[in-house]
Amino acid sequence: MTSRPAPSASVADSISLSVKAGSFTESVIREMTRLAIAHGAINLAQGFPDFPAPAAIKEAAQHAIAADINQYAITWGARSLREAIAEKFARTQGVSVDPEREITVCCGATEAMTSSLMAVINPGDEVVLFEPFYENYGPDAILSGARPRFVRLHQTDWSFDRDELFAAFGPATKAIILNTPNNPTGKVFSRGELEFIRDLCVRANALVITDEIYEHMVYDDGQHISPAAIEGLRDRTITINALSKTYSVTGWRVGWAIAPPAITSFIRRVHDFLTVGAAAPLQEAGAAALRFSEDYYRTLAEEYLARRNRMLAILEQAGFRCFKPSGAYYIMTDISDFGFPDDVTFARHLVSKIGVAAVPGSSFYSNPADGAQQLRFAFCKTEATLAEASRRLSRLRASA
Ligand SMILES: Cc1ncc(COP(=O)(O)O)c(C=O)c1O
């Protein structure tokens, strides 16, 4: 048998590859994770917990596999999970949705966002995005063919200028993407802000696509409000969420999109052909988890509050100026006191010489220069990890 030669570089060079795929760079966050492994650094870059998932969700997944729930689930999601999602949304946000016609279970919030955008965007459509933004939203816009219109969240409280937001809405606006609680800033959008956004969306006949994956990580008496719970927004909102962060199972890849029936039927079409469906036994486990008692969510929030306070103290002690987050599990910092030329140089120094990985702020901005003196740290970590990070970071001033 003769083996086929590997395609030569010249063949690959002569085939024109996707312009869309070529226009986005590799995820900086995942690159930092690789560098963290290479240098044996503590990974405070990527947002995944290093502590165990709740025993009850793991047992539910084990039972589901033992019970042979091992074949394709219904493409838009196992009924048990869709019912649990609808019950929880009604319980926590007072929004009632029909699990048969308004929910699509996807492969994580990531796929829910991509499928949702692909379901609603046409050539020439614009989406309004607050920046700094979660880095996936840029490629999501490109993949779906939407033109992003960026509106700045201003330091230090990450508020937006209402006139700037007003100006970003125009005849081509199809949707605004919200992320509350917000990655990377920790901003939790207030009722007043959401009502202002509602008025703009109604005026422009635009949709709200809201990513609420950090809904249970809210601090200092803050409150997470789903845009769908704002009067007048339910019928123009796609709500995205996932098991990933709330139940510490980022590798399970189960998320969902909640939307009015006509929009859901389009999301389901995209989702079906993109992925067929999310892992069937893990959907069953999700159905059990979404029915955890209020105690679970209260404890989760308390534990994250303690981690946030610990991480703030560690970073301030090490010389960072911190933007105190009101939600989610990241701290954005101002690194200008360290005197490095930019965030990427500083992040490389941190990972290779100090042994701590963080995310360069530039990856959250459309114009990298805007984040060149910022760095983001994740604090979804055990006390042992945070203590070791603290020990390492204490060497920072001496090495800078
Ligand atoms: C705002 C936001 N949305 C979505 C995701 C990814 O969600 P999933 O793992 O469910 O795809 C992340 C992960 O960091 C995130 O920060």
Side-chain angles (χ1 to χ4, degrees):
M1 196 176 113
T2 53
S3 60
R4 295 171 92 199
S8 68
S10 61
V11 172
D13 287 349
S14 68
I15 296 173
S16 59
L17 302 177
S18 157
V19 174
K20 278 184 180 173
S23 67
F24 38 85
T25 50
E26 197 199 359
S27 157
V28 179
I29 296 180
R30 287 180 275 281
E31 187 205 337
M32 288 312 299
T33 291
R34 271 199 306 283
L35 283 178
I37 294 166
H39 291 284
I42 303 224
N43 187 355
L44 302 184
Q46 205 173 352
F48 60 81
D50 67 347
F51 43 83
I57 193 173
K58 292 188 287 193
E59 281 157 18
Q62 286 156 359
H63 283 141
I65 291 174
D68 257 324
I69 301 181
N70 292 315
Q71 311 310 326
Y72 298 124
I74 298 170
T75 175
W76 54 80
R79 182 191 301 260
S80 56
L81 177 55
R82 283 182 286 113
E83 283 172 353
I85 292 166
E87 279 168 30
K88 183 161 180 281
F89 207 32
R91 196 169 69 236
T92 57
Q93 293 294 326
V95 180
S96 62
V97 296
D98 178 356
E100 286 307 315
R101 298 189 309 143
E102 295 185 293
I103 296 174
T104 311
V105 175
C106 297
C107 298
T110 302
E111 193 241 317
M113 179 60 79
T114 313
S115 289
S116 296
L117 283 167
M118 286 181 147
V120 303
I121 295 298
N122 284 312
D125 285 348
E126 293 181 357
V127 291
V128 177
L129 265 177
F130 287 108
E131 72 174 339
F133 54 87
Y134 170 54
E135 64 164 3
N136 277 34
Y137 301 153
D140 282 343
I142 295 167
L143 284 171
S144 64
R147 267 203 316 266
R149 290 284 302 262
F150 295 101
V151 174
R152 186 57 64 89
L153 294 174
H154 296 281
Q155 299 162 16
T156 55
D157 63 354
W158 305 109
S159 57
F160 59 85
D161 180 308
R162 293 189 173 201
D163 293 336
E164 271 179 52
L165 186 60
F166 180 88
F169 276 73
T173 307
K174 175 56 74 65
I176 178 168
I177 295 180
L178 292 180
N179 172 214
T180 181
N182 184 262
N183 171 10
T185 65
K187 176 184 175 68
V188 177
F189 282 75
S190 70
R191 180 174 296 281
E193 288 173 324
L194 294 174
E195 285 173 350
F196 180 74
I197 290 167
R198 183 250 343 257
D199 294 345
L200 293 181
C201 287
V202 169
R203 205 165 153 270
N205 195 23
L207 298 168
V208 173
I209 307 180
T210 160
D211 177 344
E212 303 180 9
I213 196 163
Y214 299 103
E215 65 172 328
H216 292 291
M217 289 132 203
V218 177
Y219 314 118
D220 310 325
D221 299 325
Q223 193 197 356
H224 166 64
I225 303 170
S226 282
I230 298 285
E231 199 187 340
L233 269 189
R234 188 197 177 295
D235 288 345
R236 56 176 72 248
T237 298
I238 303 175
T239 306
I240 287 169
N241 213 322
L243 300 181
S244 309
K245 312 286 179 175
T246 304
Y247 307 102
S248 306
V249 287
T250 58
W252 282 21
R253 317 307 306 130
V254 178
W256 54 89
I258 303 172
I263 300 175
T264 291
S265 87
F266 273 52
I267 296 173
R268 287 178 175 183
R269 289 180 205 197
V270 177
H271 158 75
D272 188 7
F273 290 108
L274 211 53
T275 67
V276 178
L282 304 185
Q283 293 192 45
E284 295 303 331
L290 265 77
R291 295 190 171 106
F292 282 173
S293 72
E294 283 317 303
D295 270 0
Y296 174 77
Y297 302 101
R298 199 174 319 114
T299 306
L300 184 81
E302 282 167 9
E303 288 173 351
Y304 269 107
L305 173 66
R307 287 186 194 108
R308 181 205 64 173
N309 292 343
R310 174 88 164 105
M311 193 69 205
L312 278 172
I314 292 170
L315 292 171
E316 279 165 3
Q317 177 75 25
F320 290 88
R321 274 190 277 145
C322 297
F323 301 105
K324 186 176 174 184
S326 307
Y329 55 47
Y330 307 96
I331 297 178
M332 275 290 250
T333 61
D334 181 324
I335 57 170
S336 46
D337 289 348
F338 291 101
F340 278 77
D342 61 57
D343 57 328
V344 176
T345 313
F346 188 48
R348 294 224 162 100
H349 172 81
L350 211 56
V351 74
S352 61
K353 299 287 189 306
I354 303 295
V356 173
V359 181
S362 52
S363 59
F364 303 106
Y365 290 86
S366 53
N367 175 8
D370 292 336
Q373 288 301 324
Q374 293 175 5
L375 213 60
R376 189 202 73 177
F377 291 85
F379 58 81
C380 43
K381 306 295 170 188
T382 59
E383 170 52 29
T385 305
L386 297 181
E388 180 57 19
S390 172
R391 200 184 60 76
R392 295 184 184 197
L393 286 169
S394 64
R395 300 199 306 256
L396 183 56
R397 281 187 197 275
S399 73

